[in-house]
Amino acid sequence: MSSYLGRILLVDDDQKVTRFYTATFNRAGYQTVAASDLSEMRDALSRQSYDAIFLDLKLGQENGLDGLPYVLKNAPFTKVFILSSQNSIDKAIECMDRGATWYFTKGAEPDDILAKLSHYLNDRPVPTNNGMESWRESMVGSSPAINDTAGTIRKLKDVDSTVLILGESGTGKEVVARALHEASSRSAGRFEAINCGAIPENLLESELFGHKKGAFTDAKQDRKGIFELCDKGTLLLDEIGDMPLSLQTKLLRVLQEKEVQPVGGSSTIKIETRVIAATHRDILDEVKCGRFREDLYYRLSVIVVQIPALRHRKEDIPLLVEHFIKKFSKRFAREIKPPGQAIYARLMSYDWPGNIRELQNAIERGIVLSSNGEISIDDMFAHFKVRTLDESPDATGDLAFLDHPFFDLPLTDAKQAFEKSYIERLLKNNKGNIAELARKSGRYRADLYRVIERYGIDVESFRQEK
Amino acid sequence: MGMTEQNFVSRFNNDEFYRSLLVSFSNDLPAVLEHLQKFVSGEQFAEAAAVCHQMVGSSATYGYPALAGIFEHLESVLEKEVADHELIASDIRMLKTVGEKICEFTATLAEN
């Protein structure tokens, strides 16, 4: 097999097609995972980072293009290639307008696909001529807090110490980890990210350290783990606070000995992988409660980088707003005027508990709902109107609807506001259980995922509610 | 019509790896056509069209553009409001003929 080139997610409901391309990509040096629908695609993306996704347009009853917004929002570093049997220039243009990198028709020469893939994966952004390091440009902002973080990255770029990134959800921990990799002498090597909280315990060990053929029922051949795949590169262990205790012991040994032992193997493999760990949890509290090993904490926290919450760097909000308007105007092909002072004042007065991710969602919503080329506070905060209804549904009885701002909206907008409210109410009542939501609403899960994506509903927050 | 030894060589350079994939594809083909025939006989045209749609993609992927073309035509026929039984039967006959040729061809690949 060739040297490792990257990780690919293949989304297609036809096993004959996934078998062909999995073999083709693997043979060329990629590690390929197949998903048969959008739900499996989302699960795979929540577990680890992918360099590229090959997405079919017709996935049974689902439209593959409906998965594109999710990828663009949740895996912004992943390139999306459409692989479809539809030989249509209009469709190709539509897909690329919506954010796909390239459009292939099934039947294209495998070598041409591999060449194009390699071209786009090695295509690094051209630095703008503003004297700023390219990795610094990915960290939007000029506040003292973000400048401090950038200063720490500069100090760390030539050392190999383990780094622990702490920060609330939505602050951009992966962006900082990637910046650390890009700034370092390892930048020519691989960057991989794995979500320790999203992978079942029995699979996580194999994902991290690899396995030997026959180690367990599905181990039909030797497989390298992520530590070995990004040897001489950087590995982000995201949500390290959620790693099972049994694996914490093994991870500690890997960090100490700098070698891994594949599952079912008897010998060890030397690795030179730089480890960056990240968590949104209060990790010291996890240590105190006995859920996280103290010795592993000290091993990981040689250097701690604390990412500031957005409320502590509000002076960056205008730059972030500008950045997101540019991004979404392009994606949705809308001309959006720069917001006025009054809008900025309102945005600055809010505390953004969901941090940059929440601001990004608000701007996206503002642009999508805008009908006159301007973004409005009402559109950006439309979800709050709905939440107000949600919080006291019974206090005033059903007649509360009569006073609801639905009635100030055009009918189409009111229907959408109600739909969002309805979904959120059911998610709240069912603690974010999608299967239950599908049953109660009488809709297919795939449809519901589309609605959830459209309104930027954070399902996870309902699962965490006590 | 369909795959010939010559375009197999030009497309996949007579590669052992692709050879095994092609053999596996053609081994599955008779069952797919039988499945399709059952859907058509039961007038389950939406299901039959879905099978055709998948086969358009996989036939093209495996280097059988002519086969993909017939499946694509049949898919469009099956999606019409009024079923054209004659056209459907003619496409299925053509698929069987091409399918047999593909199986014969891959049998020679498997032997070599």
Side-chain angles (χ1 to χ4, degrees), chain A residues 89-103:
Chain A
I89 289 177
D90 287 347
K91 189 49 103 177
I93 291 171
E94 184 197 345
C95 293
M96 288 167 78
D97 278 350
R98 288 173 67 173
T101 299
W102 197 256
Y103 186 100

Side-chain angles (χ1 to χ4, degrees), chain A residues 12-17 19-21 23-24 27 56 58 85-87 106-111 114, chain B residues 10-12 15 17-18 21 24-25 28 32 50 53-58 60-62 72 75 79:
Chain A
D12 199 306
D13 60 340
D14 185 349
Q15 284 189 8
K16 287 188 281 302
V17 171
R19 203 185 304 147
F20 183 91
Y21 284 107
T24 300
R27 229 164 69 112
D56 186 15
K58 192 165 178 182
S85 51
Q86 290 183 49
N87 193 354
K106 289 173 183 173
E109 292 294 328
D111 285 346
L114 289 170
Chain B
S10 65
R11 185 178 169 87
F12 296 129
D15 187 314
F17 156 77
Y18 286 111
L21 285 175
S24 149
F25 175 83
D28 291 346
V32 172
H53 182 82
Q54 276 206 341
M55 289 306 294
V56 173
S58 50
T61 299
Y62 282 78
E72 193 173 18
E75 182 189 0
E79 281 172 345

Side-chain angles (χ1 to χ4, degrees), chain B residues 3-93:
Chain B
M3 178 60 89
T4 66
E5 187 148 9
Q6 198 181 359
N7 61 25
F8 170 74
V9 171
S10 65
R11 185 178 169 87
F12 296 129
N13 203 22
N14 213 4
D15 187 314
E16 180 55 38
F17 156 77
Y18 286 111
R19 182 191 300 266
S20 64
L21 285 175
L22 287 172
V23 170
S24 149
F25 175 83
S26 70
N27 284 346
D28 291 346
L29 201 49
V32 172
L33 294 178
E34 196 180 319
H35 206 52
L36 183 62
Q37 178 69 67
K38 272 187 190 163
F39 279 138
V40 169
S41 303
E43 304 224 331
Q44 293 172 271
F45 296 130
E47 288 81 354
V51 171
C52 287
H53 182 82
Q54 276 206 341
M55 289 306 294
V56 173
S58 50
S59 305
T61 299
Y62 282 78
Y64 298 112
L67 187 67
I70 306 169
F71 274 119
E72 193 173 18
H73 182 255
L74 179 55
E75 182 189 0
S76 67
V77 172
L78 289 164
E79 281 172 345
K80 285 188 177 150
E81 276 183 30
V82 182
D84 185 335
H85 294 278
E86 208 169 299
L87 211 45
I88 292 170
S90 150
D91 275 354
I92 288 184
R93 270 196 307 276

